[in-house]
DNA sequence: AATAAATAAAGAAAAAAATCTTTATATTAA
DNA sequence: TTAATATAAAGATTTTTTTCTTTATTTATT
């Protein structure tokens, strides 16, 4: 089970990919404060990561640091951004313009993270035709046409769970190659369609579990 | 580095805790469809998990299955919910009633996941005094008073990154023991305060990286 | 009643990731 | 110029997690 896609280009550990944006955020903040060079131990200290872990993660980007000096912060930021593919920007369509969808549309920072939401879709008359910032909410029945015309490759799924599978299939048919899935549904799609799940519930579970454990611990 | 809190009660792997809510969602759906018993291989097949992995995860809850029959679906749902602590419900305060905050307030399903948002806080005159569903948006300057009076232990942080650290400190001072942090900021808080980070950006990074890899792969 | 088949449960092995250790290099200061 | 020091880089070890294997139990079938 579990197809892990062992490819020469896919050898970078997922935990590393997840940590790099955190470094990036911290580095940008440091740059704003006038920092010119920064060492792995400092980054590790600030973000509570093992310094050797930081070194290993940064090594994947190909950026070289210098002993006793650290990394040039400009090079490092540029290196991480290029490595993660954040220098080019994909257009994305979002389906499900409820609260969560609206929240994501209003994350303008996504543009610096490799993609930009250029339109939203829904089926409810209440929201179709409205705007979220400068993003229009269109009816889902024009999704396919627009997606193929504009060659959109990323879809964001923020619909109710009940229609998630159906919508995802439509997305795939319309040429969407990567779906960011915010529903708790395990999507079944043709091979080749990338699905990235962001389950609020998994995070809740970890939080509640930890809290329970701690409160129990304090009791005795 | 990395304090993993080795405690007799904390030996359940985090990946397991994250998978259990996914099983739970699937099981509830199956129950609605009239399923009475279900086997680990079936769950695994549906959710694309290794069947032995499913067995191991479910074993943590203490629920027993029977060979050739599987698990009683009622017992299993109840067992997972109790194990994750979803049977009792914590009150939670949310700070930052923007789009993302509003989206979370409108997730009524959270109640079946162990907590309930009972009030939201902000500092902007535009939102203070308004409502989100049946949740009032109050001014943050009454947070501390209310949190201690109502003994609220969970805080949800959906503010802009710039004020995240400051707000989190105030939360901790008000007696909040667990913070669900949606900002990209690495919070620095007194020991004992649990922080659960949900970084949109990490997920974006994984998605964009996979898409890049695949598009590259298809080119040659 | 006996046998076959399916599957939960427990244990072993493998894989992945994090951590630790060592080495090499560059910078600063004497 | 040399020595001391900080740190990047590479390698080894440990830990964690997943996957594989075996065993035992239970139900269905003959």
């Amino acid at each position: 089970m579990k197809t892990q896609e062992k490819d020469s280009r896919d050898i970078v550990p997922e935990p590393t990919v997840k940590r790099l944006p955190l470094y990036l955020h911290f580095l940008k903040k440091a740059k704003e404060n006038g920092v010119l060079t920064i060492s792995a131990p400092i980054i590790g200290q600030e973000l509570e990561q093992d310094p050797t872990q930081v070194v290993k993660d940064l090594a994947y980007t190909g950026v070289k640091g210098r002993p006793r000096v650290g990394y040039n912060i400009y090079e490092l930021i540029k290196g991480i951004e290029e490595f993660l593919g954040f220098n080019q920007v994909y257009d994305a369509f979002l389906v499900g313009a409820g609260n969560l969808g609206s929240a994501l549309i209003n994350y303008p920072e996504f543009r610096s993270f490799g993609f930009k939401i250029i339109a939203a879709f829904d089926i409810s008359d209440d929201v179709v035709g409205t705007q979220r910032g400068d993003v229009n909410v269109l009816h889902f029945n024009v999704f396919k046409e627009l997606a193929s015309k504009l060659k959109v490759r990323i879809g964001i799924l923020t619909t109710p769970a009940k229609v998630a599978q159906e919508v995802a299939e439509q997305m795939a048919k319309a040429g969407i190659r990567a779906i960011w899935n915010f529903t708790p549904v395990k999507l079944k799609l043709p091979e080749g369609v990338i699905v990235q799940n962001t389950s609020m519930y998994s995070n809740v579970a970890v939080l509640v579990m930890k809290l329970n454990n701690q409160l129990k611990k304090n009791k005795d």
Side-chain angles (χ1 to χ4, degrees), chain A residues 6-193:
Chain A
K6 270 283 159 292
D7 187 280
S8 59
R9 270 186 295 260
D10 196 38
I11 46 162
V12 45
E14 195 165 303
T16 294
V17 177
K18 286 191 172 174
R19 281 187 297 264
L20 285 171
L22 305 179
Y23 302 156
L24 193 56
H25 179 262
F26 168 71
L27 291 168
K28 283 181 174 173
K29 225 169 44 179
K31 196 184 86 176
E32 276 172 28
N33 295 336
V35 175
L36 295 177
T37 56
I38 193 159
S39 71
I42 297 294
I43 298 173
Q45 199 178 312
E46 287 294 321
L47 301 178
E48 290 178 32
Q49 292 289 329
D50 189 276
T52 59
Q53 185 71 74
V54 177
V55 170
K56 277 198 150 50
D57 288 339
L58 297 181
Y60 279 104
T61 68
V63 176
K64 300 283 179 190
R66 293 195 304 173
R68 266 190 87 86
V69 176
Y71 301 85
N72 176 296
I73 202 160
Y74 295 92
E75 278 180 27
L76 193 50
I77 289 172
K78 190 155 165 281
I80 296 174
E81 285 181 339
E82 280 179 6
F83 181 73
L84 291 173
F86 289 175
N87 46 336
Q88 34 80 76
V89 176
Y90 290 106
D91 287 338
F93 276 177
L94 180 145
V95 182
N99 273 297
L100 179 57
S102 302
L104 296 175
I105 293 170
N106 284 295
Y107 264 53
E109 301 92 346
F110 280 153
R111 209 161 310 144
S112 56
F113 281 88
F115 76 88
K116 185 190 171 203
I117 298 170
I118 57 168
F121 298 83
D122 209 302
I123 50 160
S124 159
D125 289 337
D126 295 344
V127 293
V128 170
T130 64
Q131 281 200 328
R132 302 279 182 282
D134 55 353
V135 173
N136 290 304
V137 181
L138 312 173
H139 197 283
F140 185 62
N141 60 21
V142 297
F143 183 96
K144 188 171 182 179
E145 188 196 333
L146 278 177
S148 15
K149 197 193 285 177
L150 299 174
K151 292 200 179 11
V152 175
R153 293 286 170 265
I154 294 183
I156 303 170
L157 188 60
T158 51
T159 64
K162 291 192 185 203
V163 298
Q165 176 63 38
E166 170 64 17
V167 169
E169 284 171 19
Q170 298 286 333
M171 283 179 159
K173 274 185 198 154
I176 295 291
R177 305 300 303 271
I179 295 177
W180 193 7
N181 174 31
F182 282 86
T183 77
V185 176
K186 172 78 202 177
L187 300 175
K188 285 184 185 121
L189 295 168
E191 200 170 348
V193 179

